[in-house]
Amino acid sequence: MNNPEEFAADLVDHYLGGRLDAADAPAGLREAAVDLVANALPGLVEPLMGAQLDALTHPDRTQYPDAYLADEAAAEDALQQAAAGLRAAFAQAGLVGPARSFERGTAARLRDDPSAALRAELARVPRPLTRPDALAWSLHPAPWFSDSRLEQLPWPPSGLASVADLRALPAGAAALSHVADGPHAGWVQIGLIEQHHTPARRYPDQPARRVRIALGLETVNDEPPPGTLPLAQAPWQLWTRPLKHLASGLSQGETAAEHIRTKNQALVALTDAGTTLIVDTPHRDSGLGLPLYVLAPAASVVAALGLEPTAGICGFSLSDAAGEALICRQWHGHLIHDGNYEPLLPAIAGADLLIRPDLFTRLCDTIGPSRCRTGISVHHTPATNDAAPDSGD
């Protein structure tokens, strides 16, 4: 390793950057963590990491195993050691506050929180068939992938061309699909995102390919801009914390209903709990057990419908006085092999957002029929380097 300090800085930014930002980047904390990681690299992290990779992978490995490895453990340990003296460091700089509230607030922002991964597992379902008719072609997972070197399947998949240039489905909110059966039969799917991904393989030769479909309920006066996702961004804690404890994004004195009725906005959001955020951000593979995508309603929807996090052990669920009101489902599967010495990989992963029928009617009445849109985005990417950051999907 030519430059341990630079490598340590990269590890800290990769594994801890989001939490440091959430804690408002306390002065000196990142630097202290980088120093601790750099000191641990030669004698601890490098030999332990090598032993872990030897034990968990084949010598001809092409990717890291999905495990908590020494580099991530070193970054986490460094953060906790450095943060333990944060209040004392602030006191030396003349910033003295209540000890208990300081420790509680700082820990909440800096700790490694497994809640999102655990809730995602509770929210997992067998891959549902719920989606608008215009996306029925996507029900066959990765239809271009074949284990036969003789069979040539079409790329992009048949049916994609029919929606590739659309930014909204005709018929407004009426284009949305309803759940056909199960415990949420009749509920309306107001958001959906799903990726079909097959890795590059040497035998038989096939390039890496991806298809990503996304749809979400929007409220707009004009047609949405082409090439944009029909999804906003939101913190995943919308599922776990009352809205009053989070920044809602509403102007002071403005009601949520007014915001929905008058502002152009996506009413479904892609949260920061997934390993993929939005179309133009690099792929994040930190966060053991996190799913690819986690959806949530926009804060204005939560406020307008008076929703609160569902009590008890559950996945991603919000409730009102009548019971469960809105959920996010998770799925992944259709295992395939990339032709190397690696475990089978899921070729498909997705999430959707379901709302109770009576609340959907109430939400549409708030929006107004002329402002309802079912936004859509369909994107395909033939990749040349399967290990490169996923900047195009």
Side-chain angles (χ1 to χ4, degrees), residues 79-106:
L79 176 66
Q80 299 305 324
Q81 287 190 53
L86 193 58
R87 187 164 63 88
F90 277 14
Q92 289 178 342
L95 301 174
V96 180
R100 181 172 296 180
S101 61
F102 177 89
E103 296 288 355
R104 184 186 297 116
T106 303

Side-chain angles (χ1 to χ4, degrees), residues 5 36 59 62 77 80 89 93 98 114 130 137 143 163 192 221 247 321 325 372 377 382 387:
E5 289 76 17
L36 289 168
T62 59
D77 184 61
Q80 299 305 324
T130 312
W137 56 270
V163 293
L192 167 70
N221 290 319
C372 280
S377 169

Side-chain angles (χ1 to χ4, degrees), residues 188-237:
V188 185
Q189 184 188 66
I190 60 172
L192 167 70
I193 186 164
E194 186 175 75
Q195 176 179 275
H196 302 217
H197 170 217
T198 53
R201 55 186 290 172
R202 294 192 297 267
Y203 178 80
D205 291 338
Q206 290 185 346
R209 289 169 172 167
R210 288 181 177 88
V211 167
R212 189 216 60 227
I213 62 172
L215 70 88
L217 182 64
E218 297 177 294
T219 169
V220 295
N221 290 319
D222 305 309
E223 290 300 318
T228 57
L229 271 179
L231 303 171
Q233 297 180 62
W236 81 272
Q237 288 86 357

Side-chain angles (χ1 to χ4, degrees), residues 41-328:
L41 283 175
L44 176 63
V45 176
E46 287 186 274
L48 181 55
M49 187 97 168
Q52 289 173 329
L53 294 178
D54 288 341
L56 297 174
T57 62
H58 189 276
D60 292 332
R61 60 180 178 261
T62 59
Q63 60 185 348
Y64 282 108
D66 185 19
Y68 190 68
L69 301 175
D71 59 341
E72 186 172 359
E76 186 65 39
D77 184 61
L79 176 66
Q80 299 305 324
Q81 287 190 53
L86 193 58
R87 187 164 63 88
F90 277 14
Q92 289 178 342
L95 301 174
V96 180
R100 181 172 296 180
S101 61
F102 177 89
E103 296 288 355
R104 184 186 297 116
T106 303
R109 292 179 291 177
L110 288 178
R111 69 186 177 203
D112 185 17
D113 187 356
S115 301
L118 293 173
R119 284 178 176 263
E121 190 62 25
L122 291 171
R124 278 186 63 187
V125 298
R127 184 180 178 233
L129 304 181
T130 312
R131 62 196 64 206
D133 291 341
L135 295 175
W137 56 270
S138 67
L139 287 173
H140 187 173
W144 62 87
F145 187 82
S146 172
D147 287 325
S148 168
R149 73 164 58 227
L150 300 177
E151 188 177 3
Q152 297 297 320
L153 299 175
W155 174 260
S158 301
L160 186 147
S162 64
V163 293
D165 296 326
L166 293 182
R167 180 51 182 78
L169 293 177
L176 293 169
S177 184
H178 295 243
V179 179
D181 50 28
H184 298 97
W187 286 40
V188 185
Q189 184 188 66
I190 60 172
L192 167 70
I193 186 164
E194 186 175 75
Q195 176 179 275
H196 302 217
H197 170 217
T198 53
R201 55 186 290 172
R202 294 192 297 267
Y203 178 80
D205 291 338
Q206 290 185 346
R209 289 169 172 167
R210 288 181 177 88
V211 167
R212 189 216 60 227
I213 62 172
L215 70 88
L217 182 64
E218 297 177 294
T219 169
V220 295
N221 290 319
D222 305 309
E223 290 300 318
T228 57
L229 271 179
L231 303 171
Q233 297 180 62
W236 81 272
Q237 288 86 357
L238 280 170
W239 291 112
T240 60
R241 300 178 63 187
L243 189 60
K244 62 185 178 183
H245 296 157
L246 299 169
S248 69
L250 302 178
S251 303
Q252 190 170 8
E254 179 187 41
T255 69
E258 288 173 339
H259 192 77
I260 290 174
R261 197 161 36 239
T262 59
K263 299 293 194 300
N264 292 346
Q265 61 183 298
L267 300 182
V268 177
L270 193 57
T271 75
D272 54 6
T275 56
T276 295
L277 295 179
I278 55 176
V279 67
D280 55 356
T281 56
H283 181 75
R284 281 192 311 127
D285 61 358
S286 58
L288 191 66
L290 289 177
L292 194 63
Y293 305 110
V294 176
L295 297 177
S300 55
V301 173
V302 178
L305 299 179
L307 305 181
E308 295 281 343
T310 300
I313 299 173
C314 62
F316 301 113
S317 175
L318 298 175
S319 295
D320 62 6
E324 195 174 44
L326 200 150
I327 67 165
C328 171

